[in-house]
């Protein structure tokens, strides 16, 4: 830790660097690896949007968005009348992130696709643009979201902000600005305007409130608004990140001195940070994934839960306050959202059922006496050796009634790095999510459309298959 809280100024203007990268980025310059990775993550996010319609939060949220919004030319995934691009982006962001099953960039602790795709879909459809143009803007937004999150080294979370709720405003402004063909100065202004809307407090952790679900969609709405205002000539700050009372000063305060500001612009267009983004195999907070996998492996060795006397869950120290504390409340989550952020509940369910799917978040599962009995036996401690935040590592030890101990450590969580999910696994996840509420024929049609789209395919032909 640095002793000073004063931000170390970058060697160049960050908003200008991101704007220049975005303005110069052409589809032909996007490597095949980036294109394929982008498509895979878009498929994953859309499958989640379909699934969210089957959960109580979707109806209430969408009703509020529609009541406050306006009709327009942009599709809401999964049905309903079209909305204005801003409102459709808000709705789709809400649906994609609603189950907290969307992708994460480990080092930045940001859900980047949902910080970029809602704005890209809405604007590209409304303007009748191509799939290639959409993915170019999406890639620029992904680099923006990830690099901003990575530079603060977990700082937003440490001071109480949901990082995706912060960076999505800027990445959506970049995405919308690219698709609206803003000039360099306008792209800088759009980021500056977005700086005045950045929000997303983590108080939802207290009672499992639904507000985290709306953060990236709100960022999309704000970013689109910022881009349009900049295009109309509205003047925004030109140093929204590193300026006095800019994002880093105001949101990080005492941690501002920890920011690696120069890393945001370093290697733009050459080093694609989006390639390190992980797709989730389990519908819970990514911080718990290493421990969840360890518990699933232990289940085969443990046998009957009657043999378990105690359980120790080892998590990266920085994550304990979010997924393990206060322990008494975490052991008895009152809602599916509280359960997603409870290491105690997730580990207990994995040990009991040998899986963790959306079914383990049902009201019936939350009341399962065997899961709750096991959760009461889980103690969470800081992991001593971890590559966090590069990977969401974890270890679980089970103390048996006969005095023996079993332990499994997962240094690299499934879905990250060399253990990235394959296209076959991503398609299987899409089918599992989308088929909750859609017939197989609709699921197949959506998949065929998304995976078969070329660079010249009109976005409108794709959104027709998603409505």
């Amino acid at each position: 830790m640095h002793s000073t809280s004063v931000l170390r100024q970058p060697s160049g203007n960050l908003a200008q660097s991101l704007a220049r990268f975005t303005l110069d980025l052409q589809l032909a310059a996007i490597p095949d690896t980036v294109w394929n990775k982008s498509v895979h993550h878009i498929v994953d996010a859309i499958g989640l949007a379909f699934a969210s319609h089957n959960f109580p939060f979707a109806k209430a949220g969408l009703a509020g968005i529609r009541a406050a919004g306006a009709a327009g030319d942009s599709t809401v995934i999964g049905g309903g009348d079209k909305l204005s691009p801003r409102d459709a982006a808000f709705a789709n962001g809400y649906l994609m992130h609603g189950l907290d099953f969307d992708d994460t960039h480990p080092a930045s602790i940001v859900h980047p696709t949902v910080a970029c795709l809602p704005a890209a879909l809405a604007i590209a459809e409304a303007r009748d643009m191509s799939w290639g143009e959409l993915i170019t803007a999406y890639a620029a937004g992904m680099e923006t979201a990830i690099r901003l999150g990575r530079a603060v080294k977990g700082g937003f979370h440490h001071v109480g902000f949901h990082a995706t709720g912060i960076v999505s405003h800027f990445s959506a402004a970049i995405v919308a600005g690219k698709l609206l063909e803003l000039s360099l100065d306008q792209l800088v202004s759009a980021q500056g305007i977005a700086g005045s809307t950045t929000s997303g407090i983590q108080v939802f952790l207290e009672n499992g409130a639904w507000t985290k679900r709306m953060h990236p969609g709100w960022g999309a709405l704000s970013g689109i608004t910022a881009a349009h205002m900049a295009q109309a000539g509205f003047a925004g700050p030109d140093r929204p990140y590193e300026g006095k009372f800019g994002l880093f000063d105001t949101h990080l305060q005492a941690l501002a001195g920890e920011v690696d500001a120069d890393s945001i612009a370093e290697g733009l267009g050459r080093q694609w940070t989006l390639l390190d983004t992980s797709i989730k195999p389990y519908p819970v907070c990514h911080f718990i994934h290493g421990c969840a996998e360890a518990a699933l492996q232990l289940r085969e060795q443990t046998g009957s839960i009657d043999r378990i006397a105690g359980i120790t869950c080892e998590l990266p120290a920085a994550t304990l306050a979010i997924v393990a504390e206060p322990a008494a409340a975490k052991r008895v989550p009152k809602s599916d959202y509280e359960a997603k952020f409870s290491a105690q509940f997730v580990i207990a369910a994995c040990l009991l059922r040998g899986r963790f799917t959306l079914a383990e978040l049902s009201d019936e599962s939350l009341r399962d006496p065997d899961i709750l009995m096991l959760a009461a036996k889980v103690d969470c401690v800081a992991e001593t050796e971890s590559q966090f935040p590069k990977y969401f590592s974890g270890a679980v030890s089970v103390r048996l009634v006969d005095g023996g101990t079993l332990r499994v450590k997962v240094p690299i969580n499934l879905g990250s790095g060399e253990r990235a999910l394959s296209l076959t696994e991503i398609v299987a996840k899409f089918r599992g999510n989308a088929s909750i509420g859609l017939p197989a024929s609709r699921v197949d049609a959506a998949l065929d459309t998304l995976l078969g789209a070329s660079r010249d395919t009109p976005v409108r032909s794709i959104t027709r298959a998603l409505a």
Side-chain angles (χ1 to χ4, degrees):
M1 297 283 287
H2 297 276
S3 58
T4 178
S5 64
V6 177
L7 177 71
R8 289 167 291 165
Q9 287 293 309
S11 55
N13 181 294
L14 296 177
Q16 284 186 3
S17 295
L18 290 167
R20 171 58 65 192
F21 160 67
T22 301
L23 192 67
D24 290 347
L25 183 61
Q26 301 298 316
L27 177 59
I30 294 179
D32 288 344
T33 51
V34 171
W35 174 275
N36 293 334
K37 181 79 167 172
S38 298
V39 171
H40 296 173
H41 284 251
I42 289 170
V43 167
D44 182 59
I46 288 172
L48 293 166
F50 280 130
S52 286
H53 281 281
N54 301 282
F55 293 82
F57 69 84
K59 182 178 181 181
L62 292 176
I65 291 168
R66 289 186 179 280
D73 302 317
S74 297
T75 296
V76 176
I77 297 167
D81 294 336
K82 290 187 176 184
L83 295 173
S84 73
R86 295 194 317 169
D87 298 317
F90 189 4
N92 288 330
Y94 181 66
L95 293 169
M96 291 174 189
H97 189 56
L99 294 169
D100 218 283
F101 204 0
D102 49 319
D103 63 17
T104 309
H105 185 273
S108 63
I109 320 177
V110 160
H111 299 273
T113 288
V114 79
C116 305
L117 181 58
L121 270 178
I123 297 292
E125 180 182 15
R127 300 195 72 211
D128 196 17
M129 302 178 84
S130 72
W131 190 233
E133 290 173 304
L134 180 150
I135 287 187
T136 303
Y138 165 88
M142 290 284 281
E143 290 300 305
T144 299
I146 291 167
R147 287 163 177 272
L148 289 174
R150 186 183 63 175
V152 305
K153 305 173 186 176
F156 291 136
H157 287 92
H158 298 330
V159 296
F161 287 107
H162 173 212
T164 306
I166 300 296
V167 303
S168 58
H169 294 248
F170 299 106
S171 57
I174 285 288
V175 168
K178 177 70 170 175
L179 294 173
L180 292 170
E181 302 179 87
L182 266 57
S183 68
L184 180 69
D185 288 344
Q186 289 170 338
L187 276 169
V188 171
S189 271
Q191 293 170 79
I193 297 164
S196 282
T197 66
T198 51
S199 57
I201 53 176
Q202 293 195 112
V203 70
F204 61 85
L205 290 167
E206 283 192 353
N207 67 339
W210 293 356
T211 47
K212 180 177 183 287
R213 294 177 159 113
M214 65 174 275
H215 289 170
W218 187 252
L221 182 152
S222 301
I224 291 171
T225 304
H228 278 288
M229 292 182 74
Q231 188 178 48
F234 189 96
D238 62 2
R239 295 203 310 146
Y241 307 111
E242 73 272 24
K244 184 178 181 180
F245 303 135
L247 177 72
F248 298 140
D249 269 354
T250 58
H251 285 58
L252 296 174
Q253 306 258 335
L255 296 181
E258 297 300 308
V259 176
D260 183 3
D262 272 330
S263 69
I264 294 170
E266 186 179 2
L268 273 170
R270 300 190 311 274
Q271 300 166 7
W272 291 91
T273 62
L274 69 83
L275 293 173
D276 298 322
T277 306
S278 302
I279 290 179
K280 283 186 175 183
Y282 314 116
V284 301
C285 177
H286 232 141
F287 294 163
I288 306 174
H289 277 222
C291 287
E293 188 178 350
L296 291 172
Q297 293 180 30
L298 275 175
R299 192 206 185 234
E300 301 302 318
Q301 305 174 45
T302 305
S304 170
I305 61 172
D306 295 333
R307 298 181 63 209
I308 299 176
I311 304 161
T312 300
C313 176
E314 301 168 42
L315 292 151
T319 71
L320 290 173
I322 294 174
V323 298
E325 300 166 356
K330 293 292 187 182
R331 289 179 177 129
V332 285
K334 299 296 191 295
S335 69
D336 62 331
Y337 222 61
E338 286 189 29
K340 287 173 179 288
F341 289 86
S342 166
Q344 292 89 335
F345 180 86
V346 171
I347 299 318
C350 288
L351 286 169
L352 178 68
R353 297 189 177 180
R355 66 176 189 270
F356 203 100
T357 69
L358 291 171
E360 277 60 61
L361 296 167
S362 67
D363 288 343
E364 180 184 7
S365 294
L366 296 181
R367 294 191 298 266
D368 186 320
D370 289 331
I371 294 179
L372 296 177
M373 179 270 291
L374 276 183
K377 297 181 179 182
V378 177
D379 291 313
C380 295
V381 300
E383 192 178 20
T384 54
E385 295 181 5
S386 173
Q387 293 189 68
F388 177 85
K390 183 176 182 180
Y391 304 119
F392 297 125
S393 58
V396 176
S397 300
V398 172
R399 191 173 71 257
L400 304 175
V401 293
D402 63 9
T405 299
L406 302 170
R407 181 176 184 269
V408 170
K409 179 176 176 63
V410 175
I412 301 175
N413 58 294
L414 181 63
S416 287
E418 63 197 42
R419 303 188 67 209
L421 298 188
S422 67
L423 178 58
T424 299
E425 291 170 316
I426 294 166
V427 166
K429 179 182 172 183
F430 179 95
R431 290 188 187 280
N433 288 325
S435 64
I436 295 174
L438 295 178
S441 60
R442 284 284 313 282
V443 175
D444 289 342
L447 261 178
D448 290 345
T449 299
L450 289 166
L451 294 176
S454 71
R455 286 158 169 75
D456 297 326
T457 300
V459 169
R460 288 181 179 176
S461 70
I462 294 170
T463 54
R464 277 198 298 270
L466 307 181

